Amino acid sequence: MTATEVRTGPEKPGRALATARPVRWGAGRISFRMHRRTALVSGGALLLAALLLLVSLCVGSYPVALPDVARALFYGTGDRLAVHFVNQERLPQALLAILAGCALGMSGAIFQSVSRNALASPDVIGFNSGAATGAILVIVTFGGAAASVAAGAIIGGLVTALLVSALASRGGLHGIRLVLIGLGVTAMLGSVNSYLLTRSSLNDSQNAHIWLVGTLNGRGWSSVQIMAVALLVLVPLALLFGRRLRMMELGDDLATGLGVRVNASRLALTVLGIGLCGVAVASAGPIPFIALAAPQIAVMVSRSPGVSLVSAGAVGAGLLSAAHLASSQFFTALVWADQQVGWIRIVEESQRNNLLPVGVTTAVLGGVYLAWVLFRRRGTGTA
């Protein structure tokens, strides 16, 4: 087995694509191109996610010192409460934040590249809403087992993707048309979801409503296992299509001239993108913002000529890990502020041990990011 190191060129798109050498492995040929800054951004985002995971294991309503965290992780010994909080509550949620963030980031990169539109992410164009509809149907009808909810979310997202693509591809797939039709489908599916909640039992309605907000609270190892298995299958397939995805960014005609079967590749990439966002929605709910912003943040920081699936997944993992930590410590921060200014009643006593759903945090950040994107593109005639 021999391998040659990838040579990274300057940040100009043309020269960068021309000077990057492919990696050879075994008798076959597996090639990829990655800029130095893209590799650094990907590694830095993953390192940030790992550090945030470590912090999330230590802090909370029951603080655990770092040596006790190490003993609980590696030996399963120490204070019983510390072992429980670290291994059974905080670690699964922190790992799920990394895995779901990676899936959402890569899914957003796929759809933004296929449509060549920075706003064409699963949570904007209705795919997450379709996945949520499928999952709610399973929760209301069958009781909501983890595996069946995941299957319902993937099927719902896929059906929605086919519907939106069919409506938007008339006369060619255009990014602006895709976004507008997706927004309309999202509104319609929101009404369907509300109707399903009104027709369900009180217990199912409460469970589905909490899940619809997008939360990692209460998630256990079963959700982590489903996400891990799904990513082991979907991520390698997505990376195999990465080169075709970069060629399709140049336009359908040029990609066809380079030997890419555009329609088949677009269908395969759409299925992979739906699978990635579907399992993330099934495990943590329709978390907004991550799929929208992670690919563009990766492009801006790395200054790469196009969206990279690896960097988008890494940035998505870092963003969701940061949002999860901020959400889990939100009420703790309010308690500290209440102690500093005791004459202001910031948080009620009954809320001090609550956990803010991560979807609330990402929705606020997503609104700010969307306004910033629209402000930057004002007067350009593009969405």
Side-chain angles (χ1 to χ4, degrees):
M1 179 178 64
T2 61
T4 58
E5 183 180 359
V6 175
R7 178 182 175 184
T8 56
E11 294 172 358
K12 295 182 179 180
R15 293 187 61 187
L17 292 175
T19 57
R21 293 180 178 176
V23 173
R24 299 180 182 273
W25 181 38
R29 180 178 180 181
I30 300 176
S31 63
F32 63 91
R33 294 181 176 96
M34 181 174 291
H35 298 275
R36 180 181 292 109
R37 288 181 64 95
T38 301
L40 291 176
V41 168
S42 302
L46 291 176
L47 179 60
L48 174 63
L51 292 176
L52 292 171
L53 181 147
L54 185 61
V55 173
S56 65
L57 296 181
C58 298
V59 300
S61 58
Y62 187 84
V64 182
L66 188 59
D68 295 331
V69 169
R71 281 193 291 269
L73 283 177
F74 297 109
Y75 304 106
T77 60
D79 182 63
R80 287 190 299 175
L81 282 177
V83 173
H84 171 76
F85 276 106
V86 170
N87 292 336
Q88 301 302 322
E89 292 193 15
R90 297 174 185 173
L91 182 59
Q93 296 175 20
L95 287 176
L96 186 59
I98 294 176
L99 296 176
C102 177
L104 291 172
M106 295 187 71
S107 178
I110 289 174
F111 289 118
Q112 290 177 11
S113 296
V114 168
S115 63
R116 297 188 291 277
N117 191 303
L119 298 181
S121 67
D123 47 345
V124 173
I125 58 180
F127 298 168
N128 277 10
S129 297
T133 302
I136 291 176
L137 279 173
V138 172
I139 292 175
V140 172
T141 307
F142 302 106
S148 58
V149 170
I154 294 174
I155 294 173
L158 184 58
V159 172
T160 305
L162 293 176
L163 175 62
V164 173
S165 299
L167 294 174
S169 60
R170 186 175 182 180
L173 184 63
H174 298 286
I176 297 177
R177 183 188 302 160
L178 180 67
V179 171
L180 293 177
I181 291 176
L183 289 174
V185 172
T186 299
M188 294 174 59
L189 290 175
S191 300
V192 172
N193 295 341
S194 299
Y195 174 76
L196 291 175
L197 292 178
T198 60
R199 305 301 298 178
S200 61
S201 65
L202 180 60
N203 185 48
D204 290 339
S205 177
Q206 289 177 339
N207 293 335
H209 181 72
I210 295 173
W211 178 86
L212 273 175
V213 177
T215 181
L216 300 172
N217 303 334
R219 298 297 187 263
W221 285 108
S222 60
S223 299
V224 176
Q225 292 171 357
I226 292 175
M227 277 296 307
V229 172
L231 292 185
L232 284 176
V233 175
L234 296 175
V235 170
L237 292 176
L239 294 179
L240 286 177
F241 279 90
R243 187 175 182 181
R244 300 184 191 181
L245 187 63
R246 296 296 295 272
M247 292 181 182
M248 290 170 62
E249 291 178 355
L250 304 175
D252 291 354
D253 294 337
L254 185 54
T256 302
L258 294 173
V260 178
R261 298 174 61 185
V262 174
N263 292 331
S265 298
R266 181 179 288 120
L267 177 60
L269 286 165
T270 299
V271 172
L272 290 173
I274 288 298
L276 287 168
C277 75
V279 294
V281 170
S283 300
I287 297 176
F289 170 67
I290 303 299
L292 172 67
Q296 297 305 313
I297 292 176
V299 169
M300 286 188 295
V301 176
S302 63
R303 300 176 186 173
S304 61
V307 178
S308 169
L309 294 180
V310 175
S311 61
V315 172
L319 286 176
L320 191 53
S321 296
H324 169 60
L325 180 61
S327 300
S328 64
Q329 300 304 307
F330 177 76
F331 286 106
T332 301
L334 288 184
V335 170
W336 177 85
D338 198 6
Q339 293 173 349
Q340 301 303 311
V341 286
W343 51 276
I344 299 179
R345 190 69 172 179
I346 297 178
V347 59
E348 296 296 334
E349 186 68 30
S350 60
Q351 296 177 325
R352 296 193 173 211
N353 292 325
N354 290 346
L355 296 176
L356 184 70
V358 69
V360 176
T361 303
T362 58
V364 173
L365 296 177
V368 175
Y369 174 80
L370 183 60
W372 177 74
V373 169
L374 295 176
F375 178 78
R376 283 190 64 195
R377 292 173 179 265
R378 70 191 188 283
T380 62
T382 61

